[in-house]
Amino acid sequence: MDKGNYTVVTEFFLVGLSHYPGLQITLYVLCLLMYLVILLGNSILIIISILDPHLHTPMYFFLGNLSFLDICYTSSFIPKILINFMSERKSISFIGCTLQMAISLGLGSTECILLAVMAYDRYVAICNPLRYTIIMNKGFCAQMATWTWIAGFFVALLQTVLAMIKPFCGNIIDHITCEILALLKLICVDISLNVFIMTIVSILILITPLILISISYIFILISILRINSSEGRKKAFSTCSAHLTVVILFYGSALFMYMKPKSKDTKTSDEIIVLSYGVVTPMLNPIIYSLRNKEVKGAVKKVLFRKLFLQKI
């Protein structure tokens, strides 16, 4: 295209689902309720993992990271979605869009790696229990968590900068958030570098952690089957079932969104999928870990009992 067709963009308009006003009202109520559940559920998990000494283990350290990540991730875009659902002018500033994309991409990428780290933790706990406390010491866990966040935000900043420095031919994003796939459609010049980087990132951040998780669970399954008692097998599997459920939910929707063939137009189904892995999964995470983990349920009861007891005194 000629340079005359380029547009100096100071703001974007998020028009996703704007053709379905009835659906927007329904989604507003659902997103608001789910966001409140996300804030409450994940905050409770963080609080009890800090207050209960029995939960000062690597597993709950990483779970606390996951809960904090989910709160930050959903807070990066849900409030703006809620505002736009009820607004006539569904706009976001250029800087706001850049920040939203960088933060959501960074936290989403971090969660992919963090789930692989949590799988490794379960692998060591079940396959090498005698050396678990030695291998998964506080220093090593802190280093893994730190590099997980650094790696996630590095690839996010790389993709965001490469996208936002390009010239745009318009400022209407056919999506409900500043989603990178929708934004790339507005770029006037060649985006082959962006596509190449996104492909590499998808392999490194989505596929590679998923492969590592699968390998970890193959070894875990082999170790569980070698346990003689059925009670021992049940207990070992119960420590992994919550994490495995979260992995299936998160990776299922994320892989479908980013690895499927790209169409020129954004489909409504794409926006619903974004809400699925961006809102539903963070909401279900604390529920899954609470329902399928006796230690978490016990810690919640203990903390609540202690609070009620102190209030009576």
Side-chain angles (χ1 to χ4, degrees):
M1 289 188 178
D2 297 327
K3 290 186 178 181
N5 292 328
Y6 297 165
T7 302
V8 178
V9 176
T10 58
E11 65 178 351
F12 292 98
F13 292 92
L14 303 168
V15 299
L17 300 178
S18 59
H19 300 298
Y20 307 96
L23 181 61
Q24 287 188 70
I25 296 172
T26 303
L27 287 175
Y28 175 87
V29 175
L30 288 175
C31 286
L32 178 60
L33 291 175
M34 288 190 290
Y35 184 49
L36 294 176
V37 173
I38 289 167
L39 295 179
L40 179 62
N42 285 288
S43 296
I44 289 174
L45 273 181
I46 293 172
I47 291 169
I48 63 170
S49 65
I50 294 173
L51 295 180
D52 193 332
H54 295 95
L55 300 185
H56 293 175
T57 63
M59 175 182 174
Y60 294 103
F61 169 72
F62 293 124
L63 181 57
N65 270 263
L66 180 64
S67 295
F68 177 70
L69 188 153
D70 282 340
I71 290 174
C72 295
Y73 177 58
T74 51
S75 297
S76 69
F77 62 89
I78 291 183
K80 187 61 180 177
I81 286 178
L82 294 175
I83 292 171
N84 284 345
F85 274 158
M86 304 305 292
S87 174
E88 289 289 335
R89 197 171 188 271
K90 306 177 188 300
S91 64
I92 184 172
S93 67
F94 182 89
I95 295 175
C97 185
T98 303
L99 288 174
Q100 186 186 86
M101 183 164 62
I103 293 171
S104 60
L105 270 177
L107 292 170
S109 301
T110 300
E111 182 158 351
C112 290
I113 305 171
L114 183 60
L115 289 174
V117 171
M118 294 173 74
Y120 176 74
D121 170 70
R122 292 299 83 207
Y123 159 75
V124 177
I126 293 175
C127 299
N128 205 346
L130 297 178
R131 301 188 65 235
Y132 177 67
T133 54
I134 299 174
I135 297 173
M136 302 300 293
N137 58 73
K138 289 184 179 180
F140 183 59
C141 291
Q143 287 180 19
M144 284 201 297
T146 301
W147 282 109
T148 294
W149 286 80
I150 291 174
F153 274 94
F154 173 77
V155 297
L157 287 173
L158 178 63
Q159 292 184 88
T160 302
V161 170
L162 287 176
M164 303 308 284
I165 62 174
K166 296 289 180 68
F168 295 95
C169 291
N171 63 346
I172 298 176
I173 301 176
D174 189 14
H175 213 282
I176 55 177
T177 66
C178 287
E179 209 275 333
I180 189 167
L181 294 178
L183 195 74
L184 289 178
K185 296 174 184 177
L186 300 180
I187 295 176
C188 298
V189 296
D190 180 46
I191 59 170
S192 57
L193 177 61
N194 301 75
V195 174
F196 175 75
I197 294 295
M198 184 175 292
T199 302
I200 297 299
V201 168
S202 296
I203 294 172
L204 293 176
I205 301 299
L206 277 174
I207 303 301
T208 303
L210 185 58
I211 291 173
L212 294 175
I213 291 170
S214 301
I215 293 172
S216 296
Y217 273 103
I218 289 173
F219 284 107
I220 288 171
L221 181 60
I222 293 172
S223 296
I224 290 176
L225 293 177
R226 287 176 179 172
I227 299 175
N228 294 325
S229 66
S230 58
E231 186 65 28
R233 288 194 297 269
K234 184 179 179 181
K235 184 178 180 181
F237 183 74
S238 66
T239 64
C240 304
S241 58
H243 174 260
L244 191 57
T245 304
V246 169
V247 167
I248 292 171
L249 284 172
F250 180 81
Y251 273 97
S253 52
L255 283 171
F256 184 80
M257 182 67 190
Y258 287 99
M259 300 303 291
K260 69 181 178 64
K262 306 298 186 294
S263 59
K264 184 176 180 180
D265 299 320
T266 302
K267 297 179 181 178
T268 302
S269 60
D270 291 345
E271 296 162 32
I272 301 301
I273 292 167
V274 168
L275 290 177
S276 173
Y277 77 80
V279 182
V280 177
T281 303
M283 180 192 69
L284 292 178
N285 285 352
I287 297 173
I288 291 169
Y289 273 99
S290 298
L291 292 178
R292 303 186 70 91
N293 195 303
K294 292 181 181 179
E295 289 179 320
V296 173
K297 288 189 286 187
V300 171
K301 291 178 182 177
K302 189 186 299 182
V303 171
L304 291 176
F305 175 78
R306 187 186 305 163
K307 185 177 179 180
L308 291 173
F309 181 75
L310 291 175
Q311 284 179 346
K312 288 181 180 179
I313 294 177

